[in-house]
């Protein structure tokens, strides 16, 4: 699985989560949140985001890659990602966005926020040719040898619409197991995973403004369409996980 980090013990303020929202999250496996950061901080997050993608060649091996393409492919990246941006920009851990997100995660997971492991990643769908993010469960990327109880807080830095690639969720899919996945194009050199064990007719679409967020369980089936607009779709994701325990007799996954 992806390495995780522990953050400084500080609390966020103004957490927009009440008991009804927690109940809805546990029922559906996803939740839409109102803005969780200020316009001023959002502007700063955009500057940090753009700077990291501009300097991507100087990032450590494995911290920048195109999840939809083969390493060293001839065409430009269509779904590039920066993993662990907080390693390069430690100020991200001091933002109201991070502190608030960690408290939200603690409430939804029923855990002390200070005990949660986390990592960040930034996902870019370039203008016009940003590819789709196929249907998948985040847990399909994780080791089955460990209990993976976690969630992702997905915040767009730009308004996200159906045309630019908003998220789609299958309500209640987090209450099932990990379904069978395969590498995109059935090519093990491509990092991206997908599943066809889903009925898109059941999906709920979640277009949201910049600075708002969606939260989803690591077992929730989700998808994002291609970006067909003339501007990039920038998203900043924080993944929080409860302390893990080994799983006895865990089944292997042939796509891992």
């Amino acid at each position: 699985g992806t390495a995780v980090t522990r953050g400084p013990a500080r609390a966020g303020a103004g957490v927009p989560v009440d008991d009804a929202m927690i109940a809805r999250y546990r029922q559906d496996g996803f939740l839409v949140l109102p803005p969780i950061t200020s316009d001023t901080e959002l502007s700063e997050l955009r500057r940090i985001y753009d700077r990291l993608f501009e300097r991507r060649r100087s990032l450590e091996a494995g911290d920048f890659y195109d999840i939809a393409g083969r390493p060293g492919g001839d065409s430009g990246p269509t779904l590039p990602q920066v993993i662990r941006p907080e390693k390069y920009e430690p100020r991200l851990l001091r933002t109201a966005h991070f502190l608030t997100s960690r408290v939200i995660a603690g409430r939804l997971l029923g855990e002390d926020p200070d005990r949660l492991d986390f990592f960040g990643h930034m996902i870019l769908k370039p203008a016009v040719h940003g590819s789709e993010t196929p249907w998948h469960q985040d847990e399909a990327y994780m080791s089955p040898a460990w209990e993976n109880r976690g969630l992702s807080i997905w915040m767009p830095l730009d308004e996200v619409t159906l045309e630019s690639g908003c998220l789609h969720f299958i309500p209640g899919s987090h209450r099932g197991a990990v379904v069978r996945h395969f590498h995109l194009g059935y090519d093990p050199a491509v990092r991206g995973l997908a599943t066809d064990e889903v009925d898109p007719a059941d999906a709920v679409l979640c277009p949201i403004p910049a600075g708002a967020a969606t939260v989803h369980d690591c077992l929730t089936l989700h998808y994002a369409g291609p970006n067909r607009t003339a501007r990039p779709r920038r998203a900043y994701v924080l993944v929080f996980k409860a302390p893990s325990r080994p799983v006895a007799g865990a089944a292997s996954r042939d796509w891992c």
Side-chain angles (χ1 to χ4, degrees):
T2 306
V4 293
T5 312
R6 289 196 185 275
R10 294 176 59 186
V15 180
V17 175
D18 57 26
D19 290 344
M21 295 170 76
I22 294 172
R24 189 158 65 250
Y25 171 79
R26 292 178 179 169
Q27 173 69 25
D28 293 341
F30 73 94
L31 188 66
V32 178
L33 297 173
I36 57 174
T37 188
S38 67
D39 289 344
T40 299
E41 186 170 87
L42 192 58
S43 295
E44 177 61 15
L45 290 173
R46 291 185 184 113
R47 285 191 288 270
I48 293 172
Y49 183 106
D50 291 344
R51 189 159 57 242
L52 283 168
F53 276 91
E54 287 165 4
R55 57 176 284 207
R56 62 183 185 268
R57 290 179 178 82
S58 68
L59 304 184
E60 292 181 19
D63 287 347
F64 175 84
Y65 60 88
D66 181 7
I67 198 169
R70 289 179 60 91
D74 295 334
S75 59
T78 60
L79 195 55
Q81 304 197 17
V82 171
I83 303 296
R84 296 182 292 275
E86 61 277 358
K87 182 167 68 176
Y88 304 97
E89 295 281 354
R91 76 184 79 180
L92 289 169
L93 303 183
R94 300 189 294 271
T95 61
H97 163 250
F98 173 78
L99 299 172
T100 297
S101 294
R102 190 173 59 174
V103 173
I104 291 170
R107 293 206 66 194
L108 293 176
L109 291 169
E111 294 280 348
D112 179 347
D114 290 341
R115 297 187 68 237
L116 297 177
D117 293 327
F118 70 89
F119 66 91
H121 62 126
M122 294 176 166
I123 307 173
L124 174 65
K125 284 187 189 284
V128 182
H129 66 273
S131 70
E132 70 173 0
T133 307
W135 284 104
H136 70 284
Q137 296 163 298
D138 292 341
E139 187 162 339
Y141 288 92
M142 303 175 186
S143 170
W146 293 89
E147 175 188 70
N148 295 302
R149 195 164 63 85
L151 55 77
S152 292
I153 298 180
W154 190 98
M155 184 181 77
L157 304 185
D158 311 282
E159 179 187 16
V160 62
T161 64
L162 176 62
E163 293 74 23
S164 67
C166 69
L167 290 183
H168 304 212
F169 298 104
I170 302 295
S173 55
H174 66 302
R175 296 196 295 274
V178 177
V179 299
R180 183 172 180 77
H181 285 67
F182 52 87
H183 290 270
L184 299 183
Y186 298 95
D187 184 347
V190 178
R191 292 203 189 195
L193 296 175
T195 183
D196 53 15
E197 297 188 18
V198 60
D199 184 354
D202 296 332
V204 175
L205 282 61
C206 296
I208 54 175
T214 60
V215 189
H216 65 269
D217 187 276
C218 65
L219 275 168
T220 302
L221 284 158
H222 59 289
Y223 164 92
N227 181 9
R228 305 201 184 283
T229 71
R231 65 178 189 176
R233 193 218 69 179
R234 297 172 290 182
Y236 179 22
V237 189
L238 289 171
V239 180
F240 293 93
K241 294 177 66 178
S244 294
R245 295 182 299 218
V247 175
S252 62
R253 297 172 185 162
D254 58 13
W255 61 84
C256 291

